[in-house]
């Protein structure tokens, strides 16, 4: 799909994207690169990183891959420093690395719960913590260009509750808190904008194939009126907006990009039936004599 944005809206900028080798993270890397940014991607799997970097380079994007696990502070520090050494500045950190699997609360071990908290929540904070030095106004490589941007990929699961996702719901709730608190503290002190994106079900991603395998997916459509899949492109366009100058006054928000999916409710009654019913109820209450108990009617 063609981008509605100018090809140079993030020209000369440098992006560090965790989980940038696959899924939503890779699409964000691609779109940032196509709009002029140089891209460093961080991931645990060497092969995935290598093939992602060569795919980006084949599009003419300046890209580099750094192996690392966001759960390890020494990896976070090394990758942030390597990105700075390689490109001479860092303008945006995108925390897209995430862990996920479906499991009922009773079958989830505390270590399984902790593992996802460690990747999503602690990992996001660790990356922000290590990147602060380079993102803050006046930091290395920033000259007079103001502070940088942080973008955290979240979810909508925790707005209500989600079956078999207690660990991820808890982790993403923490991510949203990190977004707001850093927006307050680092927005005020360092001119860094911190925002989030909460994607709905996005097609062709590792997340979707893990969390909504086809057999679940087809059933979900029956009881979720707004169920439709988004594209990775939808998320990347929002990321571009938040990264670019167009988003310069946006700080501390988590943008929901899900086609309204999280608002889905089953329709218990058709529009026609509700019209009839509602009129009948009105009529009954109009006809009811004042002061006569319902039991006597
Ligand atoms: N069901 C229940 N528990 C599970 C599980 C599953 N499908 N997968 C892992 N766990 C538990 C393990 O049993 C273990 O707990 P235990 O020690 O009490 O047995 C704990 O989680 C850690 O598992 P381990 O395999 O050691 O973790 P890992 O670090 O190798 O893997 C995952 C991390 C499990 C989150 C892995 O799925 C991952 O990294 N995925 C990344 C990609 C991804 O999911 N992307 C989509 C984002 S939406």
């Amino acid at each position: 799909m063609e981008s509605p944005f100018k090809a140079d809206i993030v020209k000369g900028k440098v992006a560090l994207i965790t989980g940038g080798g696959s899924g939503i993270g890779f699409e964000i890397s691609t779109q940032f690169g196509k709009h002029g940014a140089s891209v460093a991607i961080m991931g645990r799997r060497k092969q995935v990183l290598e093939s992602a970097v060569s795919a980006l380079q084949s599009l003419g994007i300046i890209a580099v891959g750094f192996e690392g696990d966001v759960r390890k502070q020494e990896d976070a520090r090394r990758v942030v420093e390597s990105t700075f050494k390689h490109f001479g500045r860092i303008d945006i950190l995108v925390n897209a690395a995430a862990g996920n699997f479906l499991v009922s609360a009773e079958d989830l071990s505390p270590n399984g719960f902790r593992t996802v908290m460690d990747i999503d929540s602690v990992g996001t904070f660790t990356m922000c913590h290590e990147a602060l030095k380079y993102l803050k106004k006046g930091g290395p490589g920033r000259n007079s260009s103001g502070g940088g941007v942080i973008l955290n990929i979240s979810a909508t699961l925790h707005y209500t509750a989600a079956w078999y996702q207690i660990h991820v719901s808890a982790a993403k709730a923490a991510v949203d808190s990190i977004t707001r608190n850093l927006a307050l503290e680092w927005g005020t002190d360092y001119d860094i904008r911190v925002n989030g994106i909460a994607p709905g079900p996005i097609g062709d991603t590792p997340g979707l194939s893990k969390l909504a395998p086809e057999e679940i997916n087809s059933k979900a459509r029956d009881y979720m009126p707004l169920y439709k899949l988004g594209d990775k492109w939808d998320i990347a366009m929002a990321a571009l907006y938040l990264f670019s100058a167009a988003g310069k006054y946006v700080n501390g928000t988590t943008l929901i990009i899900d086609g309204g999916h999280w608002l889905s409710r089953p329709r218990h009654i058709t529009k026609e039936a509700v019209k009839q019913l509602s009129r009948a109820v009105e009529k009954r209450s109009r006809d009811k004599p004042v002061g006569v108990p319902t039991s006597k009617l």
Side-chain angles (χ1 to χ4, degrees), residues 15 25 37 43 45 49 76 85-86 88 94 97 102 126 164 170 183 248 259 269 292:
R45 294 165 297 170
L49 270 186
K85 276 194 195 125
H86 196 86
V94 181
L102 284 177
T126 304
Y164 314 131
K248 72 181 173 52
I269 177 166
V292 180

Side-chain angles (χ1 to χ4, degrees), residues 47-288:
Q47 251 184 334
V48 173
L49 270 186
E50 280 172 359
S51 68
V53 167
S54 50
L56 291 170
Q57 287 171 342
S58 71
L59 294 169
I61 294 166
I62 301 170
V64 63
F66 296 116
E67 250 183 282
D69 187 333
V70 296
R71 287 173 286 188
K72 297 181 183 147
Q73 190 178 357
E74 61 276 18
D75 285 13
R77 181 169 304 161
R78 173 179 46 77
V79 170
V80 167
E81 280 173 3
S82 305
T83 303
F84 176 73
K85 276 194 195 125
H86 196 86
F87 291 122
R89 60 186 290 147
I90 303 175
D91 294 288
I92 187 169
L93 164 68
V94 181
N95 289 298
N100 216 335
F101 46 82
L102 284 177
V103 62
S104 71
E106 69 191 74
D107 289 333
L108 175 64
S109 71
N111 193 42
F113 186 93
R114 186 181 301 112
T115 299
V116 172
M117 292 294 288
D118 273 348
I119 300 170
D120 294 23
S121 318
V122 185
T124 290
F125 180 72
T126 304
M127 290 301 299
C128 293
H129 183 266
E130 295 304 325
L132 171 62
K133 172 173 147 190
Y134 300 102
L135 292 172
K136 64 165 107 167
K137 187 176 180 176
R142 303 214 59 77
N143 309 321
S144 57
S145 54
V149 179
I150 292 173
L151 179 59
N152 298 325
I153 304 303
S154 185
T156 60
L157 306 168
H158 51 295
Y159 295 172
T160 52
W163 286 103
Y164 314 131
Q165 292 275 271
I166 191 171
H167 46 329
V168 184
S169 295
K172 295 301 193 184
V175 168
D176 289 357
S177 287
I178 291 169
T179 298
R180 283 190 292 269
N181 281 280
L182 292 186
L184 172 69
E185 291 197 26
W186 293 358
T188 307
D189 292 345
Y190 301 123
D191 192 31
I192 297 173
R193 290 189 297 112
V194 187
N195 291 298
I197 290 180
I202 302 296
D204 194 23
T205 54
L208 191 80
S209 48
K210 275 183 139 185
L211 304 181
E214 201 36 52
E215 54 274 22
I216 295 178
N217 227 5
S218 51
K219 274 192 215 133
R221 282 161 209 265
D222 295 341
Y223 62 84
M224 290 183 181
L226 290 171
Y227 198 100
K228 48 185 179 250
L229 295 183
D231 297 313
K232 289 177 279 191
W233 184 90
D234 297 314
I235 307 304
M237 289 299 115
L240 256 178
Y241 160 67
L242 292 170
F243 181 14
S244 76
K248 72 181 173 52
Y249 198 49
V250 186
N251 189 28
T253 198
T254 294
L255 195 53
I256 302 171
I257 303 190
D258 75 337
H261 174 251
W262 84 276
L263 300 169
S264 272
R265 297 287 179 280
R267 194 195 296 250
H268 295 300
I269 177 166
T270 65
K271 258 193 274 186
E272 273 317 305
V274 86
K275 235 183 253 179
Q276 305 293 333
L277 182 74
S278 151
R279 293 208 179 274
V281 170
E282 288 295 314
K283 189 165 183 306
R284 236 180 308 170
S285 67
R286 255 200 320 269
D287 295 348
K288 190 178 91 173

